[in-house]
Amino acid sequence: MDLRVFTEPQQGATYDTLLTVAKATEDLGFDAFFRSDHYLKMGSADGFPGPTDAWITLAGLARETKRIRLGTLMTAGTFRLPGVLAIQVAQVDQMSGGRVELGLGAGWFEEEHQAYGIPFPKEKFGRLEEQLAIVTGLWETKLGDTFDFHGTYYDLTDSPALPKPAQEKIPVLVGGHGPTRTPRLAAKYADEFNMPFASIEDSERQFGRVRAAAEEAGRGADDLVYSNALVVCVGKDDQEVARRAAAIGREVPELKANGLAGSPAEVVDKIGRYQEIGSQRLYLQLLDLDDLEHLELISSQVQSQLG
């Protein structure tokens, strides 16, 4: 079971804070550092000092880390034109020496679009499908050939399809709860399917849908990696768990029901139950970015027990 650190910088974080967490992620043996792609805080957080851009952040981290994978859960398809996104991600992949992964979603948070003057189209899922086709198509085009795409929402003619990533294939993540279109998209374009903030039972059902869709598309069901994203709140004792829950404005019973919370033993047990239904990778949503002792505890007493 891979453990990856997943951050939500729109809630309030500087680049320096993210760099500190990314370096701790690397030093403590975690597999990857991922971040959300949002421009507006959510809930009661103040959001200070303001948002950071996902791909500018990852470009910086690409030069200041050496081992960990770097990526997004999920880049919002409404924020960037697909041709521009393909260039950005390929460049960051080159800057990192081939350690980038792209999670791409339709975009959903209407208020952040209003706050920064970003168009929020009604038909987002059809756009996402074309975006996935374009981004992957540009990367897959052979050197010297050109790429054309003529869709409902995007038109590309005689694109040189440059630059190329450092990796032969950048892993693409698709995720979500949708019962029909989401599994179909994952089966067609994804290397990994991510189920965000879902119960074991709901994850098992959705994994089953994606596996069936992959086989219908002519792929092996095991060609994809299956993963979950879950909030994490671990403590050496009940008092430490309660303190960490309070710091992120959450209640311990709710965190235990909907995330990975409690003692290291409790969290290891729940991870095992996700593993039993086919989850191979967990993105640990770390909401208090100043609490590096939390990461150290997870590394020493949770990750160490997962083999």
Side-chain angles (χ1 to χ4, degrees), residues 15 18-27 30-34 57-71 92-100:
Y15 172 76
L18 295 171
L19 174 60
T20 298
V21 176
K23 286 187 171 180
T25 297
E26 186 159 83
D27 293 343
F30 293 99
D31 182 61
F33 175 94
F34 271 58
T57 297
L58 294 175
L61 297 180
R63 307 302 287 179
E64 300 196 71
T65 58
K66 299 183 183 302
R67 177 188 59 80
I68 50 173
R69 308 287 295 175
L70 301 167
V92 178
D93 193 53
Q94 292 174 356
M95 294 168 69
S96 72
R99 293 184 284 122
V100 159

Side-chain angles (χ1 to χ4, degrees), residues 92-249:
V92 178
D93 193 53
Q94 292 174 356
M95 294 168 69
S96 72
R99 293 184 284 122
V100 159
E101 304 185 12
L102 171 64
L104 184 57
W108 61 270
F109 189 21
E110 186 172 5
E111 287 86 349
E112 69 187 333
H113 295 74
Q114 294 171 344
Y116 286 98
I118 303 167
F120 190 70
K122 182 177 180 180
E123 176 46 67
K124 293 181 289 297
F125 204 91
R127 291 174 182 271
L128 173 60
E129 184 162 11
E130 291 192 9
Q131 289 162 346
L132 285 163
I134 292 165
V135 170
T136 56
L138 287 167
W139 292 337
E140 291 167 0
T141 299
K142 294 179 181 178
L143 282 173
D145 290 349
T146 58
F147 177 79
D148 291 81
F149 183 89
H150 306 293
T152 302
Y153 306 102
Y154 302 102
D155 240 294
L156 286 75
T157 301
D158 291 335
S159 172
L162 296 172
K164 298 301 184 192
Q167 297 175 86
E168 184 175 343
K169 187 178 194 316
I170 290 180
V172 172
L173 291 73
V174 170
H177 297 251
T180 306
R181 298 174 77 183
T182 296
R184 179 178 59 79
L185 271 193
K188 188 171 183 179
Y189 295 107
D191 301 284
E192 177 177 336
F193 177 77
N194 180 262
M195 189 62 168
F197 312 113
S199 68
I200 293 168
E201 295 75 18
D202 288 345
S203 298
E204 184 174 25
R205 279 191 290 272
Q206 188 70 331
F207 289 166
R209 295 184 187 112
V210 174
R211 296 177 71 88
E215 290 175 350
E216 289 172 12
R219 298 179 66 182
D222 292 332
D223 288 351
L224 285 82
V225 172
Y226 298 86
S227 64
N228 287 87
L230 294 162
V231 63
V232 65
C233 181
V234 188
K236 295 190 294 290
D237 51 39
D238 291 345
Q239 291 76 21
E240 192 167 84
V241 175
R243 174 176 63 79
R244 289 199 163 111
I248 60 175

